[in-house]
Each structure stands twice: as C-alpha cells, then as structure tokens.
C-alpha cells in the first residue's frame, strides 16, 4: 500500500534527523528521546545565549524554486503474510528478495514479569535464562557452539524484557549457511544445555551489571520508580534482578522456566528475508517441531494506579539529581477505537516531551530556564499497564525549580490542550518517520514481531497514516487530559537535591518520604 510522505518545510528537519537513525522505533508509538550532543559544551543547569535548534523550520527552503513542485515522497508498506505452523504457532513473514539475508525472531511470552511464576523472589530468572540460552545445547558445548556461530557468520542472541523473551537469528539466505543455522537454533530451542559453568558466568556478569547500576543515579531512579508505581505487580522488579535474588537462582530454576515458558504454544515468530512463502513455512515448522508444546502463559494482572501524589527521595552523592515524574500508563490494545486514542495520545506526548526543542518541556526547562540538557516524556503500553514518565537530570540546587516547572507544563497541557500549530508539525513528523519502521530487514522484523506478540492486526500499519491525519486538536488534547492526572504523580529524585514537600501540585494530597540508596 503506497503511503504519501508530506515533505513540508516543517517536516524536513524531522525527516532528515530520523532518516539517519538506526534505532528501530517499535511500532511507531514507543517514543524515545534522542541525545543533544550539540549542547554538550554548555554546563549542566546553565543556558547558552542562543541555542541552535536543528528541528526548527528552515526558512531558506521556502525560497528554493527546485522544491516548489516536488511531489510527496511515497513508500510501499511491506506485504505481511500470515500462517500458523503445524503446532499452531502464529507466524508473520515478509519476503525481501533483494537482500540475501534472513532475520528470524521467536517471541515468547516469557519476560521478567514471569520470574516469580517459577520461584518466589526469583527476580532475574528470565534474563538469566535468555543469557544462558545461546551458550550451548545438547549437541554442542559452549565453546563448540560459539565456534559454529562464528564459522557460519551468524548473529544469534536472546534477551529478556518486561513482557517478552526474544531469540533472534540473522543468517545469509544461502542454504549452505541458513540450513545449519536453523539446525543450530532448533537444537537450542529443543534442548539448551544450561550448564552450571555458563550459568555461573552469566550470574557473575549480571552481578557486575547490578553493581554498576548502584553507582548510576538514573538506574536507581528507575528501579525506585517502578517499585513504588507497581507495588506487588510483576512489573515492579528489575528485569536484571537484584543483588539478593540473582545469586539464589539455580540451574533447576532456569530449566523449569524454559520448560514452562519457552514452548510452541507460548510463542509467535517473525521472519523477514530472502525466502519464498514455502521456505518460510518450512523454516517455522522446523523450529516449532523442535520445541516442547506446552501452553500459553496466563494473562498478567492489572496494575493499581496511585490514589494520591507521592514523592520519594533517595540520597546519592552526586552533583546532579536524577528525576522521574510519572504515573501508570496504558495497556496495549488492538481495537480501532483504542488504536485511534493511542495515536492521539502519542501525538500529545510528542508535543509535550518529544526529542526536539519545540517540545513543551524542552522549550521551558532547557531553553527558557537552562535547568537541564534534555527532558523527555514517554508512554510505553504493554500487556498490563505500562508507565508514563518524564525524565531528566538537573543540578542539585535547581531540583525544586525544575520539578515544579515540569509539573506546571503538564498542568498547562491538561488545562489548555495543544495548539493547532503544534499538532500540524507533529502530524508531519509522525507521517514522515513512519517509514523508518521498515528501513531494514531487522527493523521490519522487529515491527511485525511486536505486532504479532501484542496481537495487532495489519490495519495497525495500513491505517496508521489515516489515524494520524484523523486526529484533531480536540481529540489529542482530550486524550492527554483523560490519561494524565497532575494530582496523582509519582516523583522520584536521586541525588542531593531533596525537594520532598516542595513538589505538591495545587489541591493535591502529597505523601513524601526519603529513603536510602537501594
């Protein structure tokens, strides 16, 4: 399906910037911040007299006659072919015959939210399982496994997230490479070795990473925020685990996790590459026949929203204070009405805290007040309610001012909504960066894999531009107003800038506490 890219003079800076990014924007709505390297020479908390905004409209473009009659750029959405394996596992396939590569991703509903289903307080179990999964199988020990991967020129890895565990394979499409690569992957899914030696090394590496996190105020803030926001919910604990939980994880725990969750009935597969549909079917059947059948993971419980505002301060010896302001967000939904609402919110969120100097938070906190290098807001819908966050760092002595000013920006958007000019600019940006979801085989495979995992139909893509164009100022403003409650914000500060008691929104109760570094 052709999609028109509206290259107005407002959209050109956005298009140029996003066209150079290699990071995959998953599903086009999982918005991420971008770094501001051009401001690196400005001291934290200080403002230069004249910031150069790389995202501002380029006035000179209006004078270039060569651009006057340029038709809108177009790209064609990839054709997604769907089928199920003989074991009933759903598969999404995109043929890309112009590049002799194949990307295969197996998504399991087996993220860190499932850690405690096997072992109480078994935090980090999904991560340990993923890390050890590609360190040997029944046919190869770890050294021989690594040699096989190297000799075939493969990329074979696994990673765990809150919702999912993903196993990724990239291989040349030539059967001389692809056939043994698939055999290696099938053997790994069928009978991973999970040797004591490899597990011990993985746990040691996890402990090193956890120790580093305790020296990182941003990581401490994120952990504290999730614990406070989610309470007893499975999203509360870190995906990496904790310094107390990881040493207690055993080979028996890992094997039990794999038997329960790394099974055909708990998986979906994404394939993108130089294959025919018949070859893709054979590939997927080979992999799923090797897996235990098992059963799907149960639905996750809903998280409970905060009933009042809350501020938690963690003392930390640093010159800056890391800040997270937020609340519960949305679940991933699939019906057309919900998809439109999520698109409306995504545009509002981009106006509030997108990765550009025209975003409200950046314009106020960075440009006007000089309190931070960058400040971003993000909404991440997941199987259960994700989180909405505003994140930044600031000088310790400026923390109270920065927190209060950020809350005032959110309050203003809730009360007064967004402007038409902001919405027009954001629509252009969303439409033009949409194509980056398909900029490479890996990007395409990530997109269709995530769609399969969350049960999103093809009209998520085919109607995306329509949803963006259909949004108007009233629906976008109302959606932000519906979801964001400035009276029930969770505020976490990590550093020496303790503003406990200074961040109370007008008319809100405020539960404050100070805690030691976790």
């Amino acid at each position: 399906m052709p999609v028109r890219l509206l290259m107005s003079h407002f959209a050109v800076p956005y298009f140029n910037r996003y066209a150079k990014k290699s990071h995959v924007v998953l599903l086009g709505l999982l918005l991420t911040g971008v770094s501001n390297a051009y401001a690196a020479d400005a001291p934290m908390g200080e403002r230069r007299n004249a910031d150069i905004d790389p995202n501002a409209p380029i006035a000179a473009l209006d004078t270039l006659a060569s651009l006057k009659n340029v038709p809108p750029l177009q790209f064609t959405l990839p054709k997604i072919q769907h089928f199920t394996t003989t074991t009933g596992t759903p598969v999404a396939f995109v043929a890309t015959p112009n590049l002799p590569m194949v990307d295969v991703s197996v998504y399991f509903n087996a993220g860190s939210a499932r850690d405690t289903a096997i072992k109480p307080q078994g935090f980090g179990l999904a991560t340990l399982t993923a890390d050890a999964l590609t360190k040997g199988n029944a046919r190869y020990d770890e050294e021989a496994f690594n040699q096989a991967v190297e000799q075939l020129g493969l990329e074979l890895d696994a990673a765990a997230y809150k919702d999912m565990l993903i196993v990724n394979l990239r291989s040349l499409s030539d059967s001389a490479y692809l056939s043994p690569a698939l055999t290696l992957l099938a053997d790994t899914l069928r009978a991973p070795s999970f040797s004591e030696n490899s597990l011990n090394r993985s746990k040691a590496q996890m402990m090193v990473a956890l120790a580093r996190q305790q020296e990182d105020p941003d990581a401490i803030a994120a952990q504290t925020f999730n614990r406070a926001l989610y309470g007893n919910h499975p999203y509360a604990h870190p995906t990496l685990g904790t310094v107390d939980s990881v040493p207690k994880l055993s080979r028996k725990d890992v094997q039990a996790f794999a038997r329960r969750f790394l099974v055909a009935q708990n998986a979906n597969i994404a394939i993108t590459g130089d294959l025919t549909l018949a070859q893709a079917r054979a590939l997927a059947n080979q992999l799923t026949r090797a897996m235990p059948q098992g059963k799907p993971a149960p639905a996750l419980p809903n998280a409970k929203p905060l009933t009042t505002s809350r501020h938690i301060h963690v003392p930390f010896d640093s010159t800056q204070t890391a800040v997270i302001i937020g609340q519960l967000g949305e679940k991933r939904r699939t019906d057309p009405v919900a998809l439109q609402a999520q698109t409306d919110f995504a545009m509002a969120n981009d106006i509030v805290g997108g990765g550009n100097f025209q975003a409200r938070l950046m314009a106020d906190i960075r440009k006007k007040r000089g309190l931070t290098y960058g400040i971003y807001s993000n909404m991440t819908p997941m199987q259960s309610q994700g989180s909405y966050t505003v994140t930044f760092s600031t000088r310790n002595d400026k923390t109270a001012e920065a927190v209060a000013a950020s809350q005032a920006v959110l309050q203003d958007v809730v009360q007064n909504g967004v402007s038409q000019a902001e919405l027009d600019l954001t629509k252009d940006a969303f439409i033009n960066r949409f194509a980056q979801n398909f900029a490479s085989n890996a990007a395409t495979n990530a997109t269709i894999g995530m769609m399969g995992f969350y049960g999103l139909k093809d009209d998520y893509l085919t109607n995306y531009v329509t949803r963006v164009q259909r949004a108007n100022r009233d629906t976008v403003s109302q959606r932000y107003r519906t979801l964001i409650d400035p009276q029930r914000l969770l505020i976490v500060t990590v550093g020496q800038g303790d503003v406990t008691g200074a961040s109370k929104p007008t008319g809100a109760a405020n539960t404050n506490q100070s805690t030691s570094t976790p």
Side-chain angles (χ1 to χ4, degrees):
M1 172 183 177
V3 175
R4 295 165 64 87
L5 303 184
L6 309 176
M7 296 296 290
S8 71
H9 72 282
F10 285 106
V12 167
Y14 279 100
F15 183 80
N16 290 341
R17 175 160 57 87
Y18 281 91
K20 295 176 182 178
K21 289 179 66 180
S22 60
H23 177 70
V24 178
V25 183
L26 297 178
L27 302 184
L29 291 180
L30 304 184
L31 305 177
T32 58
V34 295
S35 63
N36 294 285
Y38 53 84
D41 58 334
M44 176 62 71
E46 297 183 11
R47 175 168 50 90
R48 296 190 295 191
N49 290 331
D51 287 310
I52 298 174
D53 185 353
N55 302 298
I58 303 174
L61 290 180
D62 287 334
T63 67
L64 296 179
S66 60
L67 294 181
K68 295 298 184 181
N69 299 313
V70 173
L73 299 178
Q74 294 189 0
F75 80 100
T76 300
L77 286 170
K79 179 183 178 182
I80 306 174
Q81 302 180 76
H82 298 275
F83 60 90
T84 57
T85 67
T86 55
T87 61
T89 303
V91 182
F93 167 59
V94 171
T96 56
N98 294 326
L99 184 67
M101 301 290 295
V102 175
D103 284 276
V104 181
S105 295
V106 185
Y107 286 68
F108 295 101
N109 191 344
S112 62
R114 309 295 176 179
D115 284 347
T116 57
I118 300 300
K119 184 186 183 106
Q121 304 296 308
F123 308 141
L125 183 53
T127 295
L128 179 59
T129 303
D131 192 64
L133 190 64
T134 55
K135 293 183 176 179
N137 56 40
R139 182 176 300 188
Y140 296 112
D141 63 18
E142 184 174 1
E143 182 178 357
F145 187 95
N146 290 335
Q147 288 177 350
V149 170
E150 183 176 352
Q151 289 170 358
L152 292 169
L154 308 178
E155 294 180 16
L156 178 57
D157 58 66
Y161 306 90
K162 289 287 187 187
D163 274 349
M164 66 197 71
L165 188 155
I166 311 174
V167 184
N168 296 305
L169 170 70
R170 165 167 276 198
S171 170
L172 291 170
S173 57
D174 188 317
S175 61
Y177 297 92
L178 183 58
S179 293
L182 293 175
T183 298
L184 184 65
L185 177 56
D187 287 344
T188 299
L189 296 174
R190 176 181 58 83
S193 59
F194 295 135
S195 70
E196 289 285 2
N197 287 338
S198 65
L199 287 171
N200 287 336
R201 281 194 296 274
S202 293
K203 289 198 290 184
Q205 292 166 354
M206 291 169 67
M207 293 297 289
V208 170
L210 287 167
R212 289 175 179 168
Q213 286 186 353
Q214 298 312 300
E215 300 174 357
D216 181 355
D218 292 321
I220 295 170
Q223 293 168 9
T224 304
F225 182 87
N226 284 332
R227 282 198 304 270
L229 183 67
Y230 287 108
N232 294 324
H233 191 273
Y235 288 166
H237 67 268
T239 300
L240 188 59
T242 69
V243 293
D244 293 325
S245 66
V246 170
K248 298 174 184 176
L249 300 176
S250 68
R251 183 171 187 257
K252 181 180 178 180
D253 298 329
V254 171
Q255 290 173 323
F257 188 91
R259 283 195 304 269
R260 173 61 186 89
F261 294 113
L262 305 191
V263 296
Q265 294 299 313
N266 196 43
N268 69 277
I269 298 175
I271 305 170
T272 300
D274 182 19
L275 298 172
T276 65
L277 178 59
Q279 289 172 321
R281 285 184 182 275
L283 184 161
N285 282 324
Q286 179 182 352
L287 296 182
T288 55
R289 280 197 302 265
M291 299 181 207
Q293 280 302 290
K295 59 183 180 180
L300 293 173
N302 288 326
K304 297 180 180 179
L306 296 176
T307 58
T308 185
S309 64
R310 184 182 181 191
H311 181 195
I312 301 173
H313 178 69
V314 180
F316 189 85
D317 186 14
S318 63
T319 59
Q320 300 174 29
T321 294
V323 180
I324 300 180
I325 304 171
Q327 62 174 64
L328 277 184
E330 288 192 280
K331 298 172 68 170
R332 179 66 65 183
R333 301 187 187 278
T334 61
D335 64 276
V337 173
L339 287 177
Q340 182 65 56
Q342 290 188 342
T343 302
D344 289 347
F345 183 87
M347 285 188 283
N349 177 66
D350 201 64
I351 291 168
V352 172
N356 61 82
F357 268 49
Q358 288 149 338
R360 295 276 190 98
L361 287 167
M362 186 72 85
D364 189 291
I365 311 304
R366 163 71 166 107
K367 291 183 69 177
K368 177 182 176 181
R369 303 174 189 272
L371 298 176
T372 186
Y373 279 139
I375 178 168
Y376 312 99
S377 61
N378 184 58
M379 171 78 86
T380 307
M382 296 193 293
Q383 288 187 101
S384 186
Q385 290 89 340
S387 61
Y388 176 76
T389 57
V390 174
T391 57
F392 63 95
S393 295
T394 189
R395 263 175 30 190
N396 288 325
D397 62 331
K398 298 292 185 179
T399 304
E401 180 185 353
V403 169
S406 300
Q407 290 178 280
V409 170
L410 301 187
Q411 183 68 50
D412 180 66
V413 179
V414 168
Q415 290 181 343
N416 301 312
V418 304
S419 72
Q420 188 62 50
E422 289 173 320
L423 183 58
D424 290 343
L425 183 62
T426 302
K427 283 187 175 185
D428 275 0
F430 270 45
I431 291 171
N432 284 306
R433 69 193 187 204
F434 177 54
Q436 290 303 302
N437 289 289
F438 318 101
S440 66
N441 274 20
T444 299
N445 211 52
T447 299
I448 65 174
M450 294 291 283
M451 289 173 62
F453 183 86
Y454 287 115
L456 292 163
K457 305 302 182 183
D458 289 358
D459 63 359
Y460 175 81
L461 297 179
T462 57
N463 293 338
Y464 177 80
V465 171
T466 299
R467 291 196 302 274
V468 172
Q469 293 172 333
R470 184 185 294 136
N472 60 59
R473 182 184 173 190
D474 290 338
T475 61
V476 170
S477 298
Q478 182 57 42
R479 190 58 185 165
Y480 194 85
R481 189 175 297 121
T482 298
L483 291 181
I484 303 306
D485 186 350
Q487 314 304 321
R488 297 182 182 182
L489 292 174
L490 171 62
I491 302 170
V492 172
T493 51
V494 178
Q496 296 181 2
D498 187 352
V499 295
T500 303
S503 56
K504 179 178 179 180
T506 303
N510 200 342
T511 302
N512 301 311
Q513 70 183 82
S514 184
T515 184
S516 59
T517 302

